[in-house]
Amino acid sequence: MYPFIRFVKEMVKFRSAPPLKVDGTHISTHMCWPWDLDPWIELNNGRTLTLYDLGRIPMAARTGLIGILRKKGWGITVAGNSVRYRRRIRAFQRFTMVSRVIGWDGRFVYMEQSMWRGGECCNHMLLRSAVTGAKGIVPPAEVMLAIGGDTESPPLPDWVMAWIKADAERPWPPVLPPDVKGSLPG
């Protein structure tokens, strides 16, 4: 189940926080609860992705994006991500989440988020998102203009550019193995 209570707590907690520049860093602290665990008694990898919302959405509110989405009738969606897991987060351990926008291109906004415990990075995610409107994807420069920010992106790091290039090589839709083709419904 989605962590609605925790989400509301984060939104209330940061409602009076100072505004954040689009490329500013949002820092939040969280707890790994028993319902976040997998059978190995550590933070579930899927739950990690859900908990990253608790950093991204308050960050978006602090930058003014949430208000602009409501005003313009736009939405926002995750369009891809890559996560690197390196250290376990176990039940009842506190961790700090660091969230920031890295930059954007003609279609997507790129963000990085990480979870830290005791000065060690536990996991790190690169995420791209798209703002959507009635006509499809809203160009990020238009979104930045609406927020009152710079329409030109900071240069994207080489590792982000390499990820974008690698992801563009991946076939869509995926190629199904021959033994699956007859098994899919109509």
Side-chain angles (χ1 to χ4, degrees):
M1 183 171 166
Y2 193 82
F4 288 107
I5 294 170
R6 290 157 89 177
F7 170 72
V8 169
K9 178 189 93 68
E10 290 301 306
M11 295 305 284
V12 169
K13 178 179 172 182
F14 288 103
R15 75 176 179 264
S16 298
L20 195 61
K21 287 183 166 185
V22 169
D23 62 350
T25 303
H26 177 76
I27 300 169
S28 53
T29 303
H30 308 272
M31 171 86 71
C32 181
W33 292 105
W35 41 87
D36 298 329
L37 302 176
D38 64 17
W40 292 268
I41 319 299
E42 62 189 51
L43 180 59
N44 176 275
N45 62 305
R47 188 62 161 189
T48 299
L49 294 175
T50 300
L51 293 179
Y52 271 133
D53 281 359
L54 302 181
R56 270 195 319 277
I57 298 173
M59 177 183 71
R62 291 182 63 199
T63 64
L65 178 61
I66 301 295
I68 293 298
L69 295 176
R70 288 184 181 133
K71 180 179 173 185
K72 300 248 186 201
W74 291 341
I76 192 164
T77 188
V78 171
N81 64 56
S82 176
V83 184
R84 187 181 275 181
Y85 299 93
R86 292 295 182 264
R87 298 282 179 264
R88 292 182 169 116
I89 298 175
R90 298 206 182 264
F92 304 108
Q93 288 183 328
R94 289 194 173 280
F95 59 92
T96 300
M97 188 183 304
V98 178
S99 306
R100 75 180 188 105
V101 169
I102 300 172
W104 52 91
D105 59 20
R107 298 181 66 199
F108 303 112
V109 175
Y110 298 89
M111 291 169 259
E112 71 173 332
Q113 292 184 275
S114 51
M115 292 181 184
W116 297 77
R117 203 174 44 73
E120 277 195 296
C121 186
C122 299
N123 56 66
H124 177 251
M125 176 174 63
L126 171 62
L127 178 136
R128 74 170 162 223
S129 66
V131 173
T132 58
K135 297 178 183 175
I137 292 178
V138 178
E142 185 178 338
V143 176
M144 299 306 158
L145 185 64
I147 292 173
D150 193 351
T151 59
E152 190 169 326
S153 173
L156 290 168
D158 290 342
W159 64 273
V160 174
M161 296 300 293
W163 180 79
I164 294 167
K165 183 178 178 188
D167 197 62
E169 295 291 321
R170 198 163 114 192
W172 189 263
V175 177
L176 290 172
D179 60 337
V180 172
K181 290 188 180 189
S183 303
L184 296 179

